[in-house]
Amino acid sequence: MKIIKAKFILVCDDKFNILKNHAVLFDENIRRIIPQNQIYKFGDCEIFDCNDSILMPHFINTHTHLEYSANQASLEYGNFLSWVKSVIINRDELTSPKNKTAMQNALKTMIKSGVGTIGEISSFGVDLDLFDKFGLRVVFFNEILGSNLAKFDEICANFTQRFNKSMAKKSDNFIPAISIHSPYSTNPKIAEFAINLAKEHDLIISTHFLESKAELKWLKDANGEFKDWLKNFILSPKPFYSPKSYIKQFSGLRTLFTHCVWAEKYFDLFDKNLHFITHCPRSNRLLSEKFLDISKIDVNIGTDGLSSNYNLNFWDELRAGLFVNSEFDLQKLAKKLIISATKNAALALNLPSGEIKPGNLADFALYPLIDCKNSDQFALCMILHTNYCQKLFIKGNQCNF
């Protein structure tokens, strides 16, 4: 058994309670939360004396694309379709296995900022063994896409090969999952193949949804920039779905809908118990024409990858969230962002984590103490002034980084 003492503990419950001069008793799970003056009752425990620190659940980054970590200035920002075209042109170079060092550096940046769990979207499987030496938890979303049914067998065979390799690595800290790329890129029969696999193995699904105005116009009206672009590949392109029919195919399935910048009118169609919105503030600023208003909805937070970001420091992502949601009361927004990156994210990924309470996994991070005079501003001060964690624990084990 171990005990960790901290000056402040951010529990990350719905009320955003902050405990002062408390300690957490834990092994793989959190066993008790006690005042520090009661530690003597628990005999021979390994004690981490961190009274110059703030303890909170470690961050859960629900959406990353580490395979694109070699990007710096290869891709075009400001318009979603211009960006997609530049991704296609530069994809092979950016996602080459020779770029493993860039992927590792991006991953280290996340870990150092306090991320202990990630949702990795894997398009090619280049990242499959990336996580072995770091000890963090990975929900590994094997991604599928394809619009041409003539290549159905080839697409499914390639996907199955990658999927089986990920299933062979399955463990408490490596959780295979499935990603269906988007409604504009994935034929319903190909999506059905992946959905049936998710049902068979009881897996979580992630998908990109209504990231751009052009995508919304295409799905609603079968027109606009997407139609012009798709004519380069298909003689008479037609959308595979309406927004409503795309959501419907995920009925009864735990699904993370990522971006959703143009999806406000469809949120009522989401299953409130199984469908979750992943918000990527910096990616949305670089690729979309507007921001997702999170004032009235629950979200979880992702950094996306370096294909649409400039670093993967999670505190930088939260800082961006403060500024892109400018109509939201600042103190309430800061608390909401931290809860979104901990408790909400754990719920989306179906993990007993994200909140410091007995029974949950001992997943937490320690940060330097901030001398915040007003407790109501504690979350805001942390977001503004924190960059890196001092210690990171995953299932009770300290992570070396």
Side-chain angles (χ1 to χ4, degrees):
M1 201 69 69
K2 305 169 188 175
I3 292 175
I4 189 164
K5 299 161 59 179
K7 185 69 172 179
F8 295 103
I9 298 176
L10 274 64
V11 177
C12 290
D13 59 357
D14 290 334
K15 294 183 179 179
F16 207 83
N17 283 312
I18 300 172
L19 305 177
K20 187 175 181 179
N21 295 327
H22 274 63
V24 177
L25 182 72
F26 67 99
D27 43 32
E28 290 186 351
N29 296 86
I30 297 169
R31 297 304 176 186
R32 295 189 68 173
I33 302 169
I34 56 175
Q36 289 187 14
N37 60 13
Q38 293 183 17
I39 286 175
Y40 71 92
K41 296 179 180 180
F42 296 92
D44 236 0
C45 292
E46 180 182 2
I47 295 178
F48 297 88
D49 191 342
C50 303
N51 270 326
D52 58 347
S53 302
I54 299 166
L55 182 71
M56 61 180 284
H58 72 221
F59 288 133
I60 300 171
N61 185 349
T62 51
H63 193 87
T64 66
H65 290 267
L66 287 168
E67 289 173 313
Y68 286 90
S69 296
N71 176 59
Q72 284 189 334
S74 301
L75 305 181
E76 296 184 20
Y77 300 139
N79 174 275
F80 181 75
L81 271 174
S82 295
W83 175 79
V84 169
K85 293 171 188 176
S86 70
V87 169
I88 291 172
I89 291 168
N90 295 282
R91 177 175 54 202
D92 290 345
E93 181 181 354
L94 291 177
T95 62
S96 168
K98 70 182 181 182
N99 295 324
K100 276 284 181 74
T101 299
M103 296 181 209
Q104 289 174 347
N105 289 339
L107 184 58
K108 286 176 185 176
T109 298
M110 271 197 287
I111 294 170
K112 288 177 181 178
S113 67
V115 173
T117 299
I118 69 168
E120 167 67 353
I121 311 299
S122 178
S123 302
F124 309 102
V126 179
D127 48 353
L128 180 64
D129 300 320
L130 183 65
F131 316 97
D132 291 350
K133 68 178 183 179
F134 291 101
L136 79 164
R137 184 180 300 105
V138 182
V139 180
F140 193 78
F141 290 98
N142 298 276
E143 186 171 67
I144 193 169
L145 74 161
S147 57
N148 187 353
L149 278 184
K151 295 185 176 182
F152 178 84
D153 290 341
E154 179 186 341
I155 290 168
C156 293
N158 176 276
F159 176 82
T160 300
Q161 184 180 43
R162 289 189 287 116
F163 175 76
N164 287 341
K165 285 181 179 179
S166 73
M167 288 294 286
K169 289 176 67 71
K170 185 177 180 181
S171 69
D172 288 346
N173 279 1
F174 189 94
I175 304 166
I178 285 175
S179 169
I180 295 171
H181 182 267
S182 67
Y184 61 82
S185 68
T186 313
N187 186 285
K189 289 192 176 181
I190 292 172
E192 182 183 21
F193 165 80
I195 286 170
N196 287 338
L197 204 57
K199 289 177 179 177
E200 178 184 347
H201 295 278
D202 193 23
L203 304 179
I204 303 170
I205 296 176
S206 178
T207 187
H208 303 91
F209 184 58
L210 293 184
E211 186 172 359
S212 69
K213 188 176 182 180
E215 181 184 340
L216 176 62
K217 188 169 181 60
W218 172 239
L219 298 185
K220 280 185 62 182
D221 305 327
N223 215 332
E225 290 180 89
F226 255 103
K227 183 174 184 178
D228 296 337
W229 177 57
L230 289 170
K231 282 180 180 178
N232 294 315
F233 311 99
I234 305 169
L235 186 61
S236 300
K238 296 178 181 178
F240 299 126
Y241 310 89
S242 67
K244 182 177 181 179
S245 69
Y246 191 69
I247 295 169
K248 186 177 180 180
Q249 72 178 337
F250 298 103
S251 295
L253 296 167
R254 184 173 293 270
T255 306
L256 281 68
F257 291 85
T258 302
H259 300 305
C260 297
V261 181
W262 294 86
E264 294 99 326
K265 292 181 180 178
Y266 304 100
F267 288 156
D268 288 345
L269 301 176
F270 286 177
D271 183 325
K272 300 199 185 314
N273 295 313
L274 290 174
H275 293 166
F276 305 90
I277 299 165
T278 302
H279 180 42
C280 304
R282 287 185 286 178
S283 176
N284 293 159
R285 177 64 185 98
L286 292 173
L287 304 184
S288 300
E289 300 88 343
K290 73 183 187 77
F291 300 118
L292 177 65
D293 178 6
I294 67 169
S295 60
K296 295 179 178 142
I297 56 172
D298 288 331
V299 298
N300 54 83
I301 306 285
T303 59
D304 223 324
L306 289 177
S307 55
S308 59
N309 213 327
Y310 57 87
N311 72 36
L312 301 189
N313 183 303
F314 208 84
W315 288 104
D316 280 348
E317 198 67 43
L318 297 188
R319 279 187 277 274
L322 282 177
F323 295 103
V324 301
N325 296 281
S326 57
E327 302 301 316
F328 202 151
D329 175 84
L330 199 57
Q331 282 73 41
K332 290 180 181 178
L333 174 58
K335 293 174 183 177
K336 185 181 182 80
L337 288 168
I338 289 178
I339 294 297
S340 298
T342 53
K343 182 177 180 178
N344 288 1
L347 178 63
L349 294 180
N350 202 28
L351 297 170
S353 182
E355 180 180 351
I356 295 182
K357 68 177 183 179
N360 268 4
L361 293 171
D363 290 348
F364 32 73
L366 278 156
Y367 295 97
L369 193 62
I370 292 175
D371 186 20
C372 183
K373 305 301 183 186
N374 183 341
S375 60
D376 286 339
Q377 299 228 345
F378 207 104
L380 178 59
C381 288
M382 284 202 71
I383 292 176
L384 291 176
H385 301 294
T386 308
N387 288 298
Y388 301 109
C389 69
Q390 299 168 320
K391 288 183 173 61
L392 182 68
F393 291 84
I394 299 165
K395 204 176 179 184
N397 296 312
Q398 189 170 346
C399 179
N400 295 317
F401 55 87

